[in-house]
C-alpha cells in the first residue's frame, strides 16, 4: 500500500495544532505543588487524545501521589517491530509574566512561531507523536507504545521505578525520545551525545559570627573573599577548567559559525570565549563549570560587617565518557585542596545525572537518517551533541540495552525552552511530524529486509 504522506500531513495538521494549543493552555508546572492538579489535567488530556486513536491508554504512577505518566499501546501487524515514543507533558515554570510578549499559557502565533510555555518543550513532542499516529489511522506499520512522562522538568525521580515496573509493557525494538532539537531551521539532527550534570552547594565559613569590618578587617578573612578565591581556583586565566582527572573527548566535525555563536548565545558585545578546542568540543564533549547561585548580602543596605559564611551553587557539566561519581570525587578533591586560609569547607551534592554517548550506527539509525533526509527535502541530519543534560536517556539505555535509542526533537536554536517567549517553529514542526511517520514506515521495512 502506498501512502501520500504529505497529503495526509496536510489533513491532520489543523487537528494536531488545536490539540497542541489545548495542551499548552494547561499549566502543568511539575515544580509547583500548587499546580499539581494541572499536571493531572495534562496527563488526562494526553491519555484521552491517544485513547481516541484506538490506543489502550492509562495513567500510571510509581506510587500513590507520584506524578502521573501515560502509557498507551496499539498493535500493528503481527510480527512487526515495536517502537516506543517518548515525550513529557510537564513544563518549566513561566516565571515573570512581564518578560513574555504574550500570556505564557495562551498559545499565540507570531510570525513563523507558536509561542507559549511547553509549545516546544515538550508538548510539541506529544503532538508530533499524535500527528504521526493520525497519519496512519488504523494502518500502523509497527506496534506502538507511548510513554509520556509527567516529571521530566523536576528530574524524573520516579522514572527508573516506572521503567522497572512496566518494563514488559514498554519493551521495544526502537525507542524515539522526542525531547531534543535540530541543528538549525532547515537542518535536522539526531542527538548522539549529551553531557551529564553534577550540582553541588559549596559553603565556606571563616567566622563563628559576624564582626565589624573596621575592627577586624586586615586580620580575619571574610567568607566572601575566601569563597571568591576558591571559585577563582577552578579556571585558569583563559577559562580552562583546572579540576584534575575529568574526562574530555573529541566532537563531531561540525562547523559552528562565529556569527551564529554570537547570536544564539546572547554573548555581550566584546565578550571573549573561554577554554580551548573547537566550539563544539567546548560545548558538547568537554566538562564545563558554572556558578549558578551565590548567597551573600545585597549591595544595597550592606553594613561594615565581615560575613561569617558564604555559599554558592556549582553546576558541573560532565563530558560523555565520564561518570558523575568520578566528577564528584574530583571536584571535592579540588575544593579541599584550594580552600584558602584554613576556612571551613562544607559541600552538599544537590543532584546528579549521567552523560550519554550513543553509538548511532545500525539499521534503526539508517532508517531515521533516511526519514529525516526525505522530510527535509534532501537535507541529511547532523549527528549533534548537546551540552545540556537529559539524564533519563542513560536510564532508558540501561533498562532496554537491546533497543536502538533515537534522540530527536522539535526545538531549534531560537526555541528559548525554559525561558520567556518559548516558541515552536511551525514549519519545522511539520517536518518533524512527517519525519516521524516516515521513520515508522522505514522501521517496518527494515524488519522485512
Amino acid at each position: 500500500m502506498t501512502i501520500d504522506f504529505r497529503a495526509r500531513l496536510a489533513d491532520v495538521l489543523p487537528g494536531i495544532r488545536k490539540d497542541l494549543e489545548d495542551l499548552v493552555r494547561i499549566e502543568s508546572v511539575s515544580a509547583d505543588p500548587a499546580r499539581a492538579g494541572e499536571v493531572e489535567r495534562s496527563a488526562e488530556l494526553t491519555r484521552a487524545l491517544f485513547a481516541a486513536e484506538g490506543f489502550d491508554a492509562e495513567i500510571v504512577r510509581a506510587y500513590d501521589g507520584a506524578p502521573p505518566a501515560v502509557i498507551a499501546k496499539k498493535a500493528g501487524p503481527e510480527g512487526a517491530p515495536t517502537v516506543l515514543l517518548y515525550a513529557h507533558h510537564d513544563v518549566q515554570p513561566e516565571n515573570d509574566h512581564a518578560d513574555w510578549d504574550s500570556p505564557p499559557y495562551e498559545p499565540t502565533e507570531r510570525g513563523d512561531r507558536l509561542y507559549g510555555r511547553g509549545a516546544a518543550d515538550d508538548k510539541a513532542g506529544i503532538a508530533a507523536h499524535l500527528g504521526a499516529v493520525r497519519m496512519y489511522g488504523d494502518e500502523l506499520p509497527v506496534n506502538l507504545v507511548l510513554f509520556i512522562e509527567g516529571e521530566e522538568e523536576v528530574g524524573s525521580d520516579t522514572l527508573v521505578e516506572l521503567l522497572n515496573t512496566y518494563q514488559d509493557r514498554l519493551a521495544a525494538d526502537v525507542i524515539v525520545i522526542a525531547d531534543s532539537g535540530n541543528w538549525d531551521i532547515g537542518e535536522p539532527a539526531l542527538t548522539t551525545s549529551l553531557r551529564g550534570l553534577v550540582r553541588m552547594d559549596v559553603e565556606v565559613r571563616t567566622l563563628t559570627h559576624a564582626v565589624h569590618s573596621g575592627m577586624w578587617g586586615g586580620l580575619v578573612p571574610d567568607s566572601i573573599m575566601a569563597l571568591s578565591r576558591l571559585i577563582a581556583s577552578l579556571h585558569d586565566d583563559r577559562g580552562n577548567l583546572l579540576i584534575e582527572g575529568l574526562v574530555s573527548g573529541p566532537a563531531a566535525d561540525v562547523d559552528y559559525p562565529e556569527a551564529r555563536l554570537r547570536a544564539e548565545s546572547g554573548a555581550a558585545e566584546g565578550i571573549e570565549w573561554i577554554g580551548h578546542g573547537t566550539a563544539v568540543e567546548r560545548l558538547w564533549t568537554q566538562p564545563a563549570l558554572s556558578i549558578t547561585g551565590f548567597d551573600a548580602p545585597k549591595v544595597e543596605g550592606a553594613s561594615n560587617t565581615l560575613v561569617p559564611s558564604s555559599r554558592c551553587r556549582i553546576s558541573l557539566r560532565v563530558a560523555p565518557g565520564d561518570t558523575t561519581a568520578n566528577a564528584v570525587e574530583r571536584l571535592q578533591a579540588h575544593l579541599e585542596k584550594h580552600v584558602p586560609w584554613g576556612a571551613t569547607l562544607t559541600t552538599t551534592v544537590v543532584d546528579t545525572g549521567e552523560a550519554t554517548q550513543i553509538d548511532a550506527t545500525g539499521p534503526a539509525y539508517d532508517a531515521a537518517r533516511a526519514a529525516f533526509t526525505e522530510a527535509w527535502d534532501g537535507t541529511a541530519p547532523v549527528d549533534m551533541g548537546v551540552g545540556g543534560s537529559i539524564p533519563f536517556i542513560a536510564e532508558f539505555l540501561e533498562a532496554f540495552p537491546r533497543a536502538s535509542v533515537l534522540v530527536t526533537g522539535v526545538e531549534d536554536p531560537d526555541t528559548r525552552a525554559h525561558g520567556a517567549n518559548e516558541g515552536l517553529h511551525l514549519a519545522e514542526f511539520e517536518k518533524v511530524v512527517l519525519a516521524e511517520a516516515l521513520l515508522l514506515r522505514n522501521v517496518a521495512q527494515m524488519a522485512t529486509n
Side-chain angles (χ1 to χ4, degrees):
M1 179 184 58
T2 301
I3 296 176
D4 186 338
F5 285 96
R6 294 181 188 272
R8 290 203 180 181
L9 176 64
D11 289 340
V12 304
L13 272 174
I16 295 301
R17 169 73 176 270
K18 177 186 179 301
D19 294 331
L20 174 58
E21 292 183 0
D22 289 343
L23 285 165
V24 171
R25 291 187 178 97
I26 300 175
E27 301 182 20
S28 51
V29 180
S30 51
D32 183 1
R35 289 188 272 194
E38 291 290 278
V39 178
E40 296 290 337
R41 279 214 307 137
S42 67
E44 174 53 32
L45 178 54
T46 300
R47 186 207 64 77
L49 287 170
F50 286 100
E53 301 303 319
F55 280 73
D56 177 11
E58 67 172 318
I59 293 174
V60 300
R61 57 190 87 228
Y63 54 84
D64 289 344
V70 176
I71 294 178
K73 298 190 72 171
K74 187 174 182 179
E78 185 176 353
T82 298
V83 178
L84 185 151
L85 305 176
Y86 169 95
H88 63 87
H89 65 90
D90 65 319
V91 299
Q92 282 281 323
E94 72 278 13
N95 299 318
D96 191 348
H97 287 216
D99 294 333
W100 291 74
D101 295 333
S102 53
Y105 296 104
E106 181 51 49
T108 303
E109 184 175 349
R110 293 193 303 276
D112 51 15
R113 291 184 182 271
L114 180 70
Y115 291 91
R117 174 58 82 230
D121 182 21
D122 185 31
K123 291 176 177 177
I126 300 171
H129 296 331
L130 191 60
V133 165
R134 285 185 181 164
M135 287 172 66
Y136 283 103
D138 289 329
E139 304 168 5
L140 287 179
V142 296
N143 302 301
L144 277 186
V145 182
L146 273 293
F147 181 61
I148 312 298
E149 191 188 356
E151 57 177 340
E152 192 276 340
E153 300 292 9
V154 288
S156 301
D157 287 345
T158 70
L159 176 62
V160 172
E161 186 171 349
L162 288 171
L163 293 180
N164 291 335
T165 301
Y166 297 99
Q167 188 166 31
D168 290 344
R169 295 182 60 186
L170 296 173
D173 302 292
V174 177
I175 299 173
V176 179
I177 295 179
D179 195 25
S180 187
N182 290 306
W183 178 238
D184 201 357
I185 301 298
E187 294 184 70
L190 285 170
T191 297
T192 57
S193 72
L194 301 101
R195 291 192 291 199
L197 173 65
V198 170
R199 292 198 303 165
M200 178 183 286
D201 287 349
V202 177
E203 182 181 25
V204 169
R205 178 173 289 278
T206 59
L207 291 154
T208 58
H209 58 83
V211 297
H212 194 286
S213 63
M215 297 290 291
W216 296 104
L219 178 67
V220 179
D222 72 76
S223 65
I224 297 177
M225 290 170 55
L227 182 55
S228 297
R229 287 179 67 91
L230 182 58
I231 291 171
S233 77
L234 293 162
H235 296 87
D236 66 16
D237 290 342
R238 184 68 185 84
N240 295 299
L241 198 55
L242 292 176
I243 302 172
E244 296 180 357
L246 297 178
V247 171
S248 293
D253 184 16
V254 176
D255 180 41
Y256 207 146
E258 178 74 10
R260 182 177 161 191
L261 278 169
R262 296 269 167 196
E264 293 174 4
S265 69
E269 185 176 356
I271 201 71
E272 298 178 0
W273 305 129
I274 62 173
H276 69 279
T278 67
V280 293
E281 285 174 341
R282 281 177 274 179
L283 291 172
W284 297 348
T285 60
Q286 292 182 9
L289 185 146
S290 304
I291 306 301
T292 58
F294 198 105
D295 288 342
K298 294 181 179 180
V299 172
E300 185 176 349
S303 64
N304 292 323
T305 304
L306 299 184
V307 178
S309 69
S310 298
R311 191 168 65 127
C312 74
R313 176 161 292 180
I314 288 175
S315 173
L316 174 60
R317 298 292 171 166
V318 181
D322 206 347
T323 66
T324 57
N326 179 65
V328 168
E329 180 181 349
R330 301 293 184 168
L331 174 58
Q332 181 74 30
H334 179 98
L335 296 172
E336 291 174 354
K337 181 180 178 180
H338 291 87
V339 63
W341 304 316
T344 300
L345 173 71
T346 303
T347 61
T348 304
V349 175
V350 179
D351 52 25
T352 64
E354 297 298 335
T356 301
Q357 183 73 55
I358 297 174
D359 178 14
T361 60
Y365 302 97
D366 294 341
R369 291 187 177 97
F372 278 53
T373 302
E374 184 175 347
W376 269 267
D377 300 313
T379 300
V382 172
D383 281 1
M384 184 176 79
V386 173
S389 307
I390 310 180
F392 69 78
I393 294 176
E395 292 163 357
F396 271 96
L397 289 167
E398 183 175 349
F400 304 105
R402 295 183 179 180
S404 298
V405 177
L406 310 174
V407 183
T408 68
V410 301
E411 298 178 24
D412 64 83
D414 199 32
T415 291
R416 306 186 191 185
H418 295 201
N421 297 312
E422 175 183 346
L424 173 70
H425 194 282
L426 292 167
E428 288 298 287
F429 173 68
E430 293 183 21
K431 291 182 173 65
V432 169
V433 177
L434 176 58
E436 186 163 300
L438 295 170
L439 170 62
L440 299 182
R441 176 202 65 187
N442 291 355
V443 168
Q445 293 174 349
M446 170 190 82
T448 60
N449 290 339

